[in-house]
Amino acid sequence: MHITGWSKNLEVTAGGEGIVSHAGLARLRQLADKTGLTGGLSRALATPRLLIHDRGRVTADLACAIADGAEVISDFRVLADQKELFGLVASVPTVWRTLDEIAAGGPRAQARITKAVNAARRNAWTAAGARHGTLPGVRIAGKILEGVTCIRLDATVTPAHSGKELAEANFKGFGHHPLLSYCDNTDEPLAGMMRRGSAGSNTTADHLQLLDDAIAALPPKYRRRLMVTADGAGASHGLITRLDKLAARPGHQLTYSVGWELGARERTAITAVPARAWQIAIDHRGEVRERRAGDACTDRCCAHPRCWTEEAHVTELTGLLREGPGRDQLDGWPASMRVFARRERPHPGAQLTLFEAADGWRYSLQASNVPASLRGWRAQLGYIDATHRVHARVEDRIRTGKDCGIGRFPSCDFGINSAWLAASLIAATLLSWLRLTALDGDLARAEPKTLRYRILHAAARLVRGGRRRRLKIARTWPWADAIATAWARITALPQAP
């Protein structure tokens, strides 16, 4: 066997012409231009000074570079080194100056950038609606909730390995503690807030500001029917009160689901729940949560009741908490709020409280304003529980977001890092718009790393002729047709101002 046969007769020279790497990045840059993002950023960062490089163009290009995998500002050279394709691109020092200018502009500059991104989002979502007929629905346990825009709030810790401004010790180590919101329909970030490392997980003022920013980020037609979710760390009395007020607005509908603390009153209520009141929970496919019993028969496809053990159950505690022996223990909370409990068999190694260890179940609670008069599958306890449990999808968005810039901040200056966060959120947003407006199949669901390998990092040959430039993807590249189709779809979009 000739294990080195692949390199036989192979020569490497430096005489190639018209070869372009990262050719797929042109699709992302074109999308930023077509949706009006580049123009909006240019107006937002306009200055009376005479500049060679427009600051909006620089910021949009930085977002494209981050989407392409840039982890530090010097990685911006991925565009500058491809002048044949991208033309005159700013240098790395110019990018530093742009971020420094945004930082010097403070909240006003950030607000202008946010306004530009939100305007471009309206154009991108309009294009997505024209292509698909509607915005993607919210996936809940094998069902699709149409016509509802879902906002998910969550915080994350970004570690810092050096003395960066406002990087502080926290419950996960040392670093910053940004707060983020994502649209579950499109998997894109809506708003973000750079915070010091010691910022609290349930700081009410931060969550209220982020909630307002996330709703304002949505195109007006998508603000009428909302769903907002947060985990127990982010839940607070102030947040639930604000959500209740938003839900009471005439002509609007808002359903929320937030984590709830398992306290003394909740433990008392759980002990009073009759056994028949616990209903079996469902998994992400809408199937019952059960496992094979230890003494089950050998046929794993059997339907013997004794061969299956129910793993999780759901019940409602609202009646016991409001009308139990201790009178109304939810006094001061919105009247429309309901409390639900879930119990499940703990995984091996799970740490249980003394209350949970007593009966062997692990408990988690949530509060929601799902109307008691609601009918259909959304009113079933299993789906009410599943609606909250899919909040965990925001963890995937944050994980992929950390692969798009928010996992590492490049500067010691807090203001520059805040500007980098804004550019990183734009990068993740552009990738989401690319999937919505131009890609199909697996690519329309692909994470950033996959998109980079298959689309953004693809090499091509740049050919000139007939006063035109043609970018030719290798015929043997498995996703060549997808890249060409994406370019055609993006080019066909109407040019936004």
Side-chain angles (χ1 to χ4, degrees), residues 173-195:
F174 183 85
H176 296 95
H177 195 186
L179 189 61
L180 306 166
S181 66
Y182 286 82
C183 176
D184 191 72
N185 305 68
T186 61
D187 294 338
E188 71 184 88
L190 296 175
M193 180 184 297
M194 188 70 174
R195 303 192 302 166

Side-chain angles (χ1 to χ4, degrees), residues 99-327:
L99 292 176
D100 188 50
E101 291 167 7
I102 295 174
R108 290 186 177 181
Q110 293 280 1
R112 293 195 299 269
I113 292 174
T114 299
K115 183 179 179 180
V117 175
N118 293 346
R121 177 175 290 109
R122 288 194 288 271
N123 299 324
W125 284 21
T126 299
R131 181 188 175 202
H132 301 287
T134 183
L135 205 65
V138 183
R139 294 171 285 117
I140 302 175
K143 295 185 179 293
I144 304 296
L145 182 59
E146 302 285 358
V148 174
T149 309
C150 181
I151 300 173
R152 304 200 186 278
L153 313 178
D154 202 5
T156 186
V157 173
T158 300
H161 302 288
S162 60
K164 298 180 179 180
E165 185 180 5
L166 297 186
E168 299 169 341
N170 50 56
F171 63 99
K172 285 190 176 180
F174 183 85
H176 296 95
H177 195 186
L179 189 61
L180 306 166
S181 66
Y182 286 82
C183 176
D184 191 72
N185 305 68
T186 61
D187 294 338
E188 71 184 88
L190 296 175
M193 180 184 297
M194 188 70 174
R195 303 192 302 166
R196 64 191 313 134
S198 60
S201 298
N202 61 345
T203 305
T204 301
D206 291 348
H207 279 79
L208 295 184
Q209 181 63 53
L210 186 73
L211 175 64
D212 292 343
D213 292 344
I215 295 176
L218 298 173
K221 65 178 291 187
Y222 295 101
R223 301 175 192 169
R224 293 287 182 176
R225 299 183 63 198
L226 298 177
M227 175 186 294
V228 179
T229 66
D231 58 15
S236 65
H237 197 293
L239 177 62
I240 293 178
T241 301
R242 172 67 66 85
L243 291 171
D244 184 68
K245 289 182 179 179
L246 292 175
R249 294 174 299 167
H252 291 76
Q253 175 185 320
L254 186 146
T255 304
Y256 64 80
S257 176
V258 300
W260 188 264
E261 183 183 4
L262 178 61
R265 60 184 177 184
E266 288 79 15
R267 291 194 293 268
T268 302
I270 287 175
T271 57
V273 175
R276 64 180 181 277
W278 290 97
Q279 298 184 20
I280 190 167
I282 57 178
D283 60 16
H284 65 283
R285 297 182 298 270
E287 301 175 357
V288 296
R289 283 285 305 275
E290 57 185 6
R291 58 180 172 82
R292 297 287 289 175
D295 57 348
C297 66
T298 57
D299 183 7
R300 300 189 62 85
C301 297
C302 74
H304 306 142
R306 63 177 180 81
C307 294
W308 297 93
T309 301
E310 297 177 355
E311 278 196 316
H313 302 88
V314 188
T315 193
E316 183 173 0
L317 302 180
T318 310
L320 291 170
L321 291 173
R322 289 199 181 275
E323 302 173 4
R327 298 183 179 180

Side-chain angles (χ1 to χ4, degrees), residues 342-362:
R342 173 191 177 89
R343 69 179 187 183
E344 58 184 333
R345 293 300 180 187
H347 302 291
Q351 296 182 354
L352 304 180
T353 65
L354 293 176
F355 174 75
E356 294 171 328
D359 60 3
W361 293 99
R362 185 174 185 175

